[in-house]
Each structure stands twice: as structure tokens, then as C-alpha cells.
């Protein structure tokens, strides 16, 4: 009443495991051994897939070289020249951006009238 699972084995030309490295066995055979596909690959399928891999490898190498050439040529054009900046004080200082701190007070605390100023063009719920 038990089902016996079939064993999938690949007989290699070299009998020692140390003679093989990663990538020596085609991925189609790896997929068959690991039960990712039901039928073993044919030689034509392996050769066709290898040819496609080479084409993709060549196209990616060409694209990589083309991008390197473009990035080297445009590097100087895309970068802005450095700008000298002057530090005139801290933004929280009352005299920020002015030459010197003024002696005369600039507060409007005594002359402020509530409702005397309304922003122009703002969203007013009364309009």
C-alpha cells in the first residue's frame, strides 16, 4: 500500500565530486533532479538555452559598456560648479541677514490692532 518514490540520478563522466564546480551541470538537469520539471531535458533544449544565455550575456555587456561611456561623457555636464557661500549669522538671531544689529526697537507690540491686517488672496471661509 506504500508508494515508492522514484530516484533521479545523473551519472557523471568524472566519478569524483571534487572535479565538479557550481555551474558544471546544466540548469535543466538540476531542475529535473530537484523535481522542478517532469521530463528530463533533451540535448537540443540544452544547446538552445545555452545559446540564449550567451546572447543575453553579450547584450548586457554591450549595455553596460554603453552606459559607462554615456556616464563618463555627461559627468562634467551634469555637475553644477561649486558655489561659495557666506555665513552671516544664525537664522534665529533678530538681526539675521542685516549688516549689524539695529539699535532702535522694531517691535509692534504697542501699536498692534487686532483685525487690522488680513492676508490677501488667502482662503477665507466668509467669501
Amino acid at each position: 500500500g506504500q508508494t515508492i518514490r522514484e530516484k533521479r540520478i545523473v551519472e557523471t563522466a568524472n566519478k569524483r565530486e571534487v572535479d565538479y564546480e557550481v555551474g558544471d551541470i546544466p540548469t535543466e538537469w538540476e531542475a529535473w533532479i530537484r523535481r522542478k520539471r517532469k521530463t528530463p531535458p533533451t540535448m537540443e533544449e540544452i544547446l538552445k538555452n545555452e545559446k540564449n544565455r550567451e546572447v543575453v550575456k553579450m547584450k548586457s555587456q554591450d549595455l553596460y559598456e554603453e552606459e559607462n561611456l554615456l556616464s563618463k561623457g555627461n559627468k562634467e555636464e551634469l555637475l553644477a560648479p561649486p558655489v561659495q557661500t557666506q555665513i552671516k549669522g544664525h537664522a534665529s538671531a533678530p538681526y539675521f541677514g542685516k549688516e549689524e544689529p539695529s539699535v532702535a526697537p522694531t517691535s509692534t507690540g504697542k501699536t498692534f490692532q487686532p483685525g487690522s491686517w488680513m492676508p490677501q488672496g488667502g482662503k477665507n471661509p466668509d467669501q
Side-chain angles (χ1 to χ4, degrees):
Q2 294 180 344
T3 57
I4 299 173
R5 193 171 170 174
E6 71 175 337
K7 292 184 179 182
R8 295 182 175 179
I9 299 172
V10 175
E11 292 183 12
T12 60
N14 298 329
K15 297 294 183 187
R16 298 181 351 183
E17 288 182 25
V18 295
D19 293 339
Y20 288 96
E21 294 182 15
V22 176
D24 283 349
I25 298 175
T27 55
E28 295 81 10
W29 280 110
E30 291 260 353
W32 180 76
I33 290 171
R34 298 178 193 281
R35 300 184 188 280
K36 302 292 181 190
R37 60 182 291 162
K38 292 184 179 189
T39 58
T42 62
M43 191 56 140
E44 293 82 24
E45 179 186 4
I46 293 173
L47 292 175
K48 179 181 137 192
N49 289 342
E50 186 64 32
K51 184 179 177 183
N52 287 342
R53 284 186 204 103
E54 288 297 319
V55 168
V56 169
K57 193 175 187 181
M58 287 172 38
K59 285 182 179 180
S60 66
Q61 182 66 27
D62 292 343
L63 181 65
Y64 176 75
E65 290 172 0
E66 182 179 327
E67 284 189 6
N68 274 346
L69 289 174
L70 287 175
S71 67
K72 286 179 184 177
N74 292 337
K75 199 170 193 177
E76 292 86 23
E77 296 173 6
L78 295 177
L79 294 177
V83 178
Q84 287 292 98
T85 57
Q86 289 182 326
I87 300 172
K88 292 190 174 187
H90 194 271
S92 65
Y95 53 88
F96 179 71
K98 298 178 183 175
E99 294 297 322
E100 299 178 1
S102 64
V103 179
T106 58
S107 173
T108 59
K110 293 180 182 177
T111 60
F112 178 73
Q113 295 290 323
S116 63
W117 178 81
M118 293 296 287
Q120 297 293 325
K123 292 182 180 179
N124 191 349
D126 295 337
Q127 289 180 347

